[in-house]
Amino acid sequence: MNIEAIVFDKDGTLFDFAATWEAWAEAFLLRATGQDRARAQVIGAQIGFDLATRCFAPDSVVIAGTPAEVAEALGGHFPELSRPALIDMLNEEAERAPQVEAVPLAPFLDGLRARGLRLGVATNDAEAPARAHLGAAKVLDRFDFVAGFDSGYGAKPEPGPLLAFCAAVDVDPACALMVGDSTHDLHAGRAAGMSTLGVLTGMAGADELAPQADAVLPDIGHIPAWLATRG
């Protein structure tokens, strides 16, 4: 069936994962520990982040998890903070994190919209930082739908956010495409009955993504050419 709508993951898909979240992790850990780098190094290991090298482990909860899941992993280190307060701190630093576009987003998204495609974002980040990041990139208005883990539709790999997108734009999931950089994204797309594309601007490699994807592309900039092959 023809693709009528595309829903994107945010981090690692629209934006380069490492450039954003390595800076976020360092800023959060140093803030939360009062600039104690030794303690921050120990706590960072709890979420699969090496402060010394500024690198995430492939199985880090940050890569595909929600802020609530990150807070759960960190909670024992900050007994003085309630879980909501810790999530708020995580989200505050996320809103401030630098964003590096995977490709120049404005012309890319305008090209998709010119094809008549409806566009959405479904992220396991919170909705407020997601909107802040898209707004900072001056592309928020290109999307018909933006959902975070806290928007009321659930979180990936469950299909709820993707089905909510399809309902919002009145498109059959069979005519929609999920694009993401993690298996969480692709599992959600499959569960929703969508076509799926993996991209390599996150932490996962092609071998990991391919079993759940109709194709794996270097980045989202290759989507128009892929769509042309379906015409």
Side-chain angles (χ1 to χ4, degrees), residues 125-140:
D125 194 6
E127 183 176 336
R131 289 185 175 275
H133 295 159
L134 297 170
K138 297 180 170 55
V139 295
L140 180 59

Side-chain angles (χ1 to χ4, degrees), residues 126-214:
E127 183 176 336
R131 289 185 175 275
H133 295 159
L134 297 170
K138 297 180 170 55
V139 295
L140 180 59
D141 62 342
R142 271 71 165 190
F143 292 99
D144 303 292
F145 177 91
V146 177
F149 88 100
D150 55 353
S151 299
Y153 309 115
K156 299 171 293 184
E158 297 303 316
L162 310 191
L163 295 173
F165 164 67
C166 290
V169 299
D170 194 25
V171 169
D172 188 321
C175 296
L177 174 67
M178 173 69 212
V179 182
D181 68 299
S182 78
T183 55
H184 270 36
D185 300 318
L186 304 181
H187 285 144
R190 290 286 197 225
M194 296 180 172
S195 298
T196 56
L197 286 181
V199 290
L200 299 177
T201 39
M203 302 294 289
D207 289 348
E208 184 178 353
L209 299 176
Q212 297 297 325
D214 293 295

Side-chain angles (χ1 to χ4, degrees), residues 6-220:
I6 304 176
V7 60
F8 295 91
D9 173 53
K10 178 171 68 74
D11 304 307
T13 302
L14 296 175
F15 300 101
D16 180 85
F17 180 88
T20 298
W21 292 98
E22 288 167 4
W24 165 86
E26 181 175 40
F28 164 76
L29 289 167
L30 292 177
R31 173 183 171 183
T33 61
Q35 307 299 310
D36 183 338
R37 294 193 72 89
R39 185 175 175 227
Q41 176 75 26
V42 171
I43 296 173
Q46 191 72 37
I47 56 171
F49 179 72
D50 186 328
L51 181 63
T53 62
R54 297 182 88 245
C55 289
F56 283 101
D59 60 351
S60 168
V61 66
V62 175
I63 293 172
T66 68
E69 290 169 328
V70 176
E72 179 70 24
L74 291 171
H77 293 281
F78 303 106
E80 72 280 8
L81 292 175
S82 68
R83 196 57 47 83
L86 186 53
I87 292 173
D88 285 346
M89 187 184 295
L90 292 166
N91 288 338
E92 287 168 9
E93 291 302 329
E95 288 193 39
R96 288 194 279 263
Q99 300 295 308
V100 176
E101 298 173 19
V103 302
L105 287 178
F108 167 72
L109 296 169
D110 287 343
L112 295 180
R113 287 170 61 88
R115 293 169 172 254
L117 292 164
R118 307 297 297 273
L119 305 179
V121 173
T123 176
N124 276 1
D125 194 6
E127 183 176 336
R131 289 185 175 275
H133 295 159
L134 297 170
K138 297 180 170 55
V139 295
L140 180 59
D141 62 342
R142 271 71 165 190
F143 292 99
D144 303 292
F145 177 91
V146 177
F149 88 100
D150 55 353
S151 299
Y153 309 115
K156 299 171 293 184
E158 297 303 316
L162 310 191
L163 295 173
F165 164 67
C166 290
V169 299
D170 194 25
V171 169
D172 188 321
C175 296
L177 174 67
M178 173 69 212
V179 182
D181 68 299
S182 78
T183 55
H184 270 36
D185 300 318
L186 304 181
H187 285 144
R190 290 286 197 225
M194 296 180 172
S195 298
T196 56
L197 286 181
V199 290
L200 299 177
T201 39
M203 302 294 289
D207 289 348
E208 184 178 353
L209 299 176
Q212 297 297 325
D214 293 295
V216 178
L217 306 178
D219 58 53
I220 56 174

